Amino acid sequence: MADKKMILGMTLNSGYGNISGAWRAPEVDPGNYANIESNIRYAQAAERGGFAFLFTPDFPTVRGDVEFSGIQNIMEPMMALAAISQATSNIGFIATGSTTFQEPFNTARQFKALDAMSHGRAGWNAVTTSDSMVSANYGRPVADRAERYQRANEAIQIVQALWGSWEKDAWIKDQASGRFLDASKLRPVNLQGEHVASRGPLPIPPSEQGQPIIFTSGGPSPHLLELAGRYASGFIAEVWTIEEARAQRQMVRDAAERAGRNPDEIKYIPGLMTTVAPTVRAGLDRRLALSGDVIEARLPHVGALLGLQLDPSRYDQPLTEAQLRAAHASPMDPRSGIVLKVAREGWSPRDILAHGVIDFHPTTVGPAEVHADHLQEWLEAGAADGFWLSPDIYEDGVDAFVDEVVPELRRRGIFPEEYVGSTLRENLGVPAQYGLDPRVAGGTS
Amino acid sequence: MADKKMILGMTLNSGYGNISGAWRAPEVDPGNYANIESNIRYAQAAERGGFAFLFTPDFPTVRGDVEFSGIQNIMEPMMALAAISQATSNIGFIATGSTTFQEPFNTARQFKALDAMSHGRAGWNAVTTSDSMVSANYGRPVADRAERYQRANEAIQIVQALWGSWEKDAWIKDQASGRFLDASKLRPVNLQGEHVASRGPLPIPPSEQGQPIIFTSGGPSPHLLELAGRYASGFIAEVWTIEEARAQRQMVRDAAERAGRNPDEIKYIPGLMTTVAPTVRAGLDRRLALSGDVIEARLPHVGALLGLQLDPSRYDQPLTEAQLRAAHASPMDPRSGIVLKVAREGWSPRDILAHGVIDFHPTTVGPAEVHADHLQEWLEAGAADGFWLSPDIYEDGVDAFVDEVVPELRRRGIFPEEYVGSTLRENLGVPAQYGLDPRVAGGTS
């Protein structure tokens, strides 16, 4: 474990950042959502820091308070990553793509094309879609979970089979003899599922890493764990605590083992939101400046999370000793333990929220050591193989992490000094695979 | 008509060229199919020549003699064009996309994202798919024509409605007031067709040209003409003769008029294959060097096209006067008139074929005047508003056209001296449109 180094990835979204109001930051161009140029800059900054991958979550509908909070989703993941692939050379691309609303042949084709174009840097975060707003964009009702996962199993198998349908040594391209390829090695897959099917072959040659890497993400339902165990080389997690993460990582590893695989073949990657600042106070102020309204609206929740009645007139003062003695974390909400821990450090309710304690992920705020401590603790506790980071504001937050935190991680010997290679497989430490994995292909759940 | 200037586009395919065996040309890297870098170079060369657009035909299956002829299809059009968009600034992108096997929401999203990323340079060549090999890749039978076109009508309307669902003035992005957008101007489309449906909205703002431009292509069936008349701003044609092209262009224009539009709003664009060389003889030799085998195999057809019995031992000699007197073009095959014309110029059967007379398009071979004469003749005869060119070998064929033919066209005053603007609409001379065209929306054919 002492030698274990972490994988780092960065989420890429609308070009602003991952805190509410990031689009309003003075250093941010509020038109960034439509400017791929900004995401290219952020990708290059992450590559400068040795990040293994960019990750594009995708929720293709309009949700939340877009009127004031802005948009938190990239316009379209595949087109953006195709563009970014040409402006980078080592960082990988893990794009979320739905098994529910994409045709497997199209998915196989676009991802393998991205893999070829990027010289072996593509990954597919294969997810099912259960949201009714998204389903409505495709004019269909939400399918039940069993059906969604049946289709997901079929889709992933078809996609992987199509990826392998141009055999590794099929491409002869001998100008002298005039033989372009060995057509007997470009073969139909003829897979017929209950929901999706494809004949193939897919005429795209292997990339430098063979084929794209499968990820999955979400809450660890039995269906998802089985899917992850069978197909995924990476699991993008959303967990709040080390304990939760360790347990979930073990569940994912067990699922891989049940599918006949080595559990080290699947990388468990929880998220972290980061605000890098000279001091914790400066970081909290940076967050309050943009998310002040959202934090204001959430103040009444702080008391509830601690089992206390808090006086609104004292939201800017630390909790009293009596309050801290009376406070208790709810075993039902993992965030309440974090709230209590921060409260005990002497922060006011407003500052507690500015720590990001009830945002989507754990949040670290402050100088390099704060972030490095969190990452190291989780890594060494066996709670993570790597992390996907969500910077508060891309425009300066990526550079700050790269310039301040990455050197600290390297000093501690827990982050690679440079890219292991130029493919995503090399940089994730994921074994070679081409076509279906013979250990898990065949049946469907 | 004297002032009319032509539009030029260039087809983009597998990175070799449009004659059989192009992948074997000594100047060509036989690995180009998987190297987006080569297509980027060719795109930049076309942009240097003032080409209005790149066009990606798409036939997503393996067909023909791939073992020896190579592949003639780009790996994946949208990913390639997204990459190319970042390495160019004026040339547009017309990508073929199936209305039969794509979800309208995905089509709308990827094309509008490309339009945003390229700052207003995207177009969609909306086609139905009837090929059984392609259908099999999607695990579905071929639908009959009426059903395919019903779905196409629905899909195009949904796509255009989604494009317009972020209203032009919806995006406020006022950092001071904190108002990101006017959510009342980002509205569902709620279109429910018989085959496809979508709720929307699509959260992508208008590009510099508003929304992508619709093209269509194919043989002029009544169904396709009606579709073109209602929705298309461009029609990609495959025709052999001026007469055919004039008649077809008129049919397309009439269809637009029937749909209540101005016929000048739809640009009729036939194809041309080009071999630029110092002399016709040098051009024929360039073609024979790569396509010699294919030409050899086709030699028996020359006689049939002319109604003659030709002696294989005389394939390298011009036809005799007696043969030329006896020869007659078949009214059934428009190519036979071209064969006869070339035969009368004194070329041998092998050289007649080297003129490309039975390739997919008219072909011009030789110095700049040959190409300019063809283009000017068609333009001035009212047989075309522009042309999509298929260079024989991209590696040097694009530069040769740009350096030699484009200046000649400009000398003749039939090609613009520079880009009219930086959007595809400006460079095609196509009027503004955002959302559905109110003149044609509503019913479906």
Side-chain angles (χ1 to χ4, degrees), chain A residues 53 55 94 125 215-218 234-238 267 269-270 388:
Chain A
F53 64 89
F55 164 53
I94 297 168
N125 179 38
F215 269 63
T216 193
S217 61
F235 191 97
I236 302 264
E238 292 195 17
K267 307 301 176 187
I269 306 193
W388 59 289

Side-chain angles (χ1 to χ4, degrees), chain A residues 36-342:
Chain A
I36 185 68
E37 295 81 358
S38 60
N39 272 324
I40 290 175
R41 262 197 334 273
Y42 310 146
Q44 290 171 332
E47 182 167 82
R48 189 166 64 78
F51 280 57
F53 64 89
L54 301 171
F55 164 53
T56 52
D58 194 36
F59 197 81
T61 185
V62 178
R63 65 170 168 181
D65 172 25
V66 289
E67 182 124 8
F68 296 98
S69 297
I71 289 178
Q72 289 284 347
N73 204 88
I74 206 161
M75 282 194 296
E76 206 285 327
M78 298 304 287
M79 305 301 288
L81 294 175
I84 293 169
S85 76
Q86 300 305 299
T88 53
S89 54
N90 285 279
I91 198 165
F93 310 109
I94 297 168
T96 300
S98 172
T99 57
T100 309
F101 294 121
Q102 309 277 353
E103 285 286 348
F105 188 83
N106 294 339
T107 299
R109 192 178 181 206
Q110 290 206 328
F111 276 91
K112 204 173 182 199
L114 178 62
D115 207 33
M117 282 166 47
S118 65
H119 302 289
R121 293 186 281 146
W124 174 30
N125 179 38
V127 300
T128 72
T129 305
S130 60
D131 181 83
S132 64
M133 297 269 288
V134 176
S135 297
N137 284 338
Y138 296 91
R140 289 194 237 149
V142 176
D144 67 31
R145 182 174 284 189
E147 181 181 325
R148 287 202 316 276
Y149 277 91
Q150 171 67 24
R151 178 171 162 139
N153 267 281
E154 294 173 11
I156 295 174
Q157 288 194 28
I158 291 171
V159 166
Q160 289 195 324
L162 286 168
W163 285 344
S165 65
W166 175 308
E167 290 183 20
K168 277 199 162 167
D169 58 348
W171 203 4
I172 302 166
K173 50 183 177 187
D174 178 5
Q175 289 175 312
S177 73
R179 200 141 170 248
F180 185 73
L181 61 73
D182 180 345
S184 73
K185 295 183 172 169
L186 183 56
R187 291 197 295 195
V189 302
N190 287 321
L191 282 175
Q192 176 68 54
E194 206 179 302
H195 301 283
V196 280
S198 188
R199 180 185 183 279
L202 175 71
I204 301 184
S207 77
E208 286 77 352
Q209 71 170 356
Q211 71 188 21
I213 292 171
I214 304 273
F215 269 63
T216 193
S217 61
S221 71
H223 281 95
L224 181 62
L225 284 171
E226 185 182 341
L227 195 84
R230 300 181 75 188
Y231 307 108
S233 300
F235 191 97
I236 302 264
E238 292 195 17
V239 282
W240 271 96
T241 63
I242 284 197
E243 296 69 32
E244 216 184 339
R246 287 180 68 173
Q248 201 176 97
R249 178 165 176 261
Q250 193 57 51
M251 290 163 82
V252 168
R253 292 172 62 86
D254 290 347
E257 215 154 16
R258 278 198 302 277
R261 298 166 65 203
N262 176 340
D264 291 338
E265 292 178 25
I266 183 164
K267 307 301 176 187
Y268 179 79
I269 306 193
L272 179 68
M273 294 184 72
T274 57
T275 291
V276 180
T279 63
V280 176
R281 179 71 262 161
L284 297 177
D285 289 342
R286 174 177 162 103
R287 297 172 65 86
L288 284 164
L290 295 170
S291 300
D293 294 352
V294 172
I295 286 170
E296 180 73 30
R298 289 178 178 169
L299 277 165
H301 297 300
V302 177
L305 283 160
L306 295 173
L308 298 176
Q309 293 273 15
L310 295 182
D311 175 357
S313 72
R314 293 181 44 87
Y315 280 157
D316 289 310
Q317 292 169 42
L319 271 59
T320 64
E321 289 207 9
Q323 285 176 318
L324 286 173
R325 270 195 307 275
H328 54 273
S330 158
M332 294 293 96
D333 189 336
R335 299 172 305 174
S336 69
I338 301 173
V339 173
L340 184 56
K341 175 173 167 287
V342 177

Side-chain angles (χ1 to χ4, degrees), chain B residues 39-55:
Chain B
N39 272 325
I40 289 175
R41 263 198 333 273
Y42 310 146
Q44 290 171 331
E47 182 167 81
R48 189 166 63 79
F51 280 56
F53 65 88
L54 301 171
F55 165 52

Side-chain angles (χ1 to χ4, degrees), chain B residues 217-283:
Chain B
S217 61
S221 71
H223 281 94
L224 181 62
L225 285 171
E226 186 182 342
L227 195 83
R230 300 181 75 189
Y231 308 108
S233 301
F235 190 97
I236 302 264
E238 293 194 17
V239 283
W240 272 96
T241 64
I242 284 198
E243 296 70 31
E244 217 183 339
R246 286 180 68 173
Q248 202 177 96
R249 178 165 176 261
Q250 193 58 51
M251 292 163 82
V252 169
R253 293 171 62 86
D254 290 347
E257 216 154 16
R258 279 197 302 278
R261 298 166 65 205
N262 176 340
D264 290 339
E265 293 177 25
I266 183 163
K267 308 300 177 187
Y268 179 79
I269 306 194
L272 180 68
M273 294 183 72
T274 57
T275 291
V276 180
T279 62
V280 176
R281 180 71 261 160

Side-chain angles (χ1 to χ4, degrees), chain A residues 24 28 33 37 58 67 75 103 106 109-110 119 136-138 140 175 179-180 198-200 203, chain B residues 23-24 28 33 37 58 67 75 103 106 109-110 119 136-138 140 175 179-180 198-200 203:
Chain A
R24 293 181 69 181
V28 170
Y33 177 52
E37 295 81 358
D58 194 36
E67 182 124 8
M75 282 194 296
E103 285 286 348
N106 294 339
R109 192 178 181 206
Q110 290 206 328
H119 302 289
N137 284 338
Y138 296 91
R140 289 194 237 149
Q175 289 175 312
R179 200 141 170 248
F180 185 73
S198 188
R199 180 185 183 279
Chain B
W23 73 272
R24 293 182 68 182
V28 171
Y33 176 52
E37 295 81 357
D58 194 36
E67 182 124 9
M75 283 193 296
E103 285 286 348
N106 294 339
R109 191 177 182 208
Q110 290 207 326
H119 302 290
N137 283 339
Y138 296 91
R140 289 193 237 148
Q175 289 175 312
R179 202 143 169 246
F180 185 72
S198 189
R199 178 183 184 280

